[in-house]
Amino acid sequence: MTSTTSALIRTADELQALAARSAPALAVAAAPALAENSRSDSPTGRRTAVVMTMGALHDGHATLVRTARECVGPDGFVVVTVFVNPLQFGAGEDLDRYPRTLDADLRTAEAAGADAVFAPSVDEVYPGGEPQVRISAGPMGERLEGASRPGHFDGMLTVVAKLLHLTRPDLAFFGQKDAQQLALIRRMVRDLNFPAEIVGVPTVREADGLALSSRNRYLSAGERRTALALSRALFAASDRLAAQHALRARADSLPGSQNRAETRAEGLSRLGEARAAADAHAVAQASEGGGAEAVRAAARAVVDEAAKAEPPLALDYLALVDPADFTEVADDHRGEALLAVAARVGSTRLIDNIPLMFGATK
């Protein structure tokens, strides 16, 4: 990195010229190679990274930039894109009022370690108007967020594909908060042989647990209190799963626990743990996968209560899904899962999620 300030770039040609000046080893071929022949294998080891945003940068975005800088090192090239993509906004959504804070974004990107902020115009990204050919998100893109926002993921993947071509990175960093988006980008990169590695970064939360989002600024004080139910629901589900694992392990350690469900509860009851015994009945009746339905129920209880608040939480979906394809998991599911929630508070729509592991023993 040859400068201490982030350059504001408006065109792809300017961006590539800056990348070449900053680190000549980053010069790219006209036709990108497949992933296994990525520029990352060059003798210099210099790499380029991109963090794609729609602006209104907050500490979640800054964390992505800092992670990118750590991964490519001081001699790498880190670019932040700022582009409010019209293709991924549906009718009645907040395209016009989406916050645009470019001056502040430049300061945030610079402080986090970016070399450049690429803030192209709509004409630069979509010369000649909206593209007639777009990326299709497929069946995964029709579930959850895709069902609530038809066409959203097609528009998102189309702009991500274009920005990958325009910025030509070795690494691209995205937040886990937008988990379905992250999964679809990974699938697109794999299916279409993009020469980039997609890196997911854990969700950054505020002190009260609310996931950082550019839309949080729309919330009034009362709406924010209600919105906290999203993260509380996720944490309640995670706690329930941990309790299930602990109860099952403890019940299984009791004499005769391998025989029948009642024995497990009776053993705990003899230890004077009446409530644990009741829970053990439910746990023992659940499959060895961990009891997905009980985990859903724990989260559902929180959002149902928030629906009675003032202002109320209007739930869009609460789903426990397989992160590979975003289909609902069965109650006997073992392995990774994702609990995802979306809701509206006032006029603001928020999403959140938490990864879970069913069948864990440690």
Side-chain angles (χ1 to χ4, degrees), residues 13-298:
D13 288 343
E14 292 172 349
L15 179 63
Q16 292 306 313
L18 176 62
R21 290 197 305 273
S22 299
L26 295 179
V28 296
L34 296 180
E36 56 266 30
N37 297 318
S38 168
R39 299 185 307 279
S40 302
D41 298 328
S42 67
T44 65
R46 283 176 169 171
R47 297 190 292 177
T48 181
V50 65
V51 174
M52 297 183 191
T53 82
M54 292 205 300
L57 302 189
H58 49 64
D59 196 53
H61 298 112
T63 298
L64 294 175
V65 179
R66 289 191 291 266
T67 304
R69 172 55 63 198
E70 291 171 5
C71 287
V72 302
D75 293 327
F77 187 77
V78 177
V79 58
V80 174
T81 68
V82 173
F83 180 68
V84 181
N85 178 32
L87 295 192
Q88 64 194 73
F89 287 81
E93 294 189 333
D94 57 353
L95 173 61
D96 291 337
R97 74 173 187 136
Y98 196 88
R100 287 149 170 95
T101 57
L102 186 57
D103 289 342
D105 293 344
L106 282 166
R107 293 190 293 271
T108 299
E110 178 183 339
D115 293 287
V117 171
F118 179 41
S121 66
V122 173
D123 288 339
E124 175 73 12
V125 178
Y126 301 121
E130 290 191 5
Q132 297 185 37
V133 177
R134 306 187 187 194
I135 301 290
S136 170
M140 194 197 312
E142 298 172 356
R143 299 171 187 138
L144 299 188
E145 282 298 288
S148 297
R149 306 176 66 189
H152 166 73
F153 285 128
D154 291 355
M156 178 276 295
L157 290 178
T158 298
V159 79
V160 169
K162 290 180 72 70
L163 290 173
L164 286 173
H165 286 311
L166 293 172
T167 61
R168 306 178 186 182
D170 295 294
L171 302 162
F173 294 79
F174 296 90
Q176 178 65 35
K177 185 179 79 71
D178 297 296
Q180 193 172 2
Q181 169 182 281
L182 174 59
L184 283 164
I185 292 170
R186 282 176 165 153
R187 186 67 190 232
M188 177 186 73
V189 165
R190 182 170 73 250
D191 287 352
L192 301 184
N193 300 103
F194 277 80
E197 178 185 348
I198 304 302
V199 181
V201 179
T203 301
V204 178
R205 299 185 179 277
E206 301 195 39
D208 57 10
L210 189 67
L212 285 176
S213 170
S214 301
R215 290 184 169 93
N216 289 353
R217 68 186 65 198
Y218 298 152
L219 298 170
S220 67
E223 289 170 344
R224 184 186 176 89
R225 285 192 296 271
T226 297
L228 291 175
L230 272 70
S231 57
R232 286 203 309 269
L234 300 179
F235 299 149
S238 179
D239 289 346
R240 177 60 179 169
L241 181 59
Q244 286 183 318
H245 288 157
L247 283 166
R248 179 174 291 110
R250 189 165 190 182
D252 284 343
S253 70
L254 295 170
S257 62
Q258 302 303 316
N259 297 327
R260 58 193 180 95
E262 290 80 0
T263 305
R264 298 179 182 180
E266 289 165 3
L268 287 174
S269 187
R270 286 195 299 273
L271 296 175
E273 301 180 12
R275 181 168 182 178
D279 282 345
H281 274 298
V283 172
Q285 290 167 5
S287 70
E288 290 303 310
E293 189 53 42
V295 171
R296 289 188 186 95

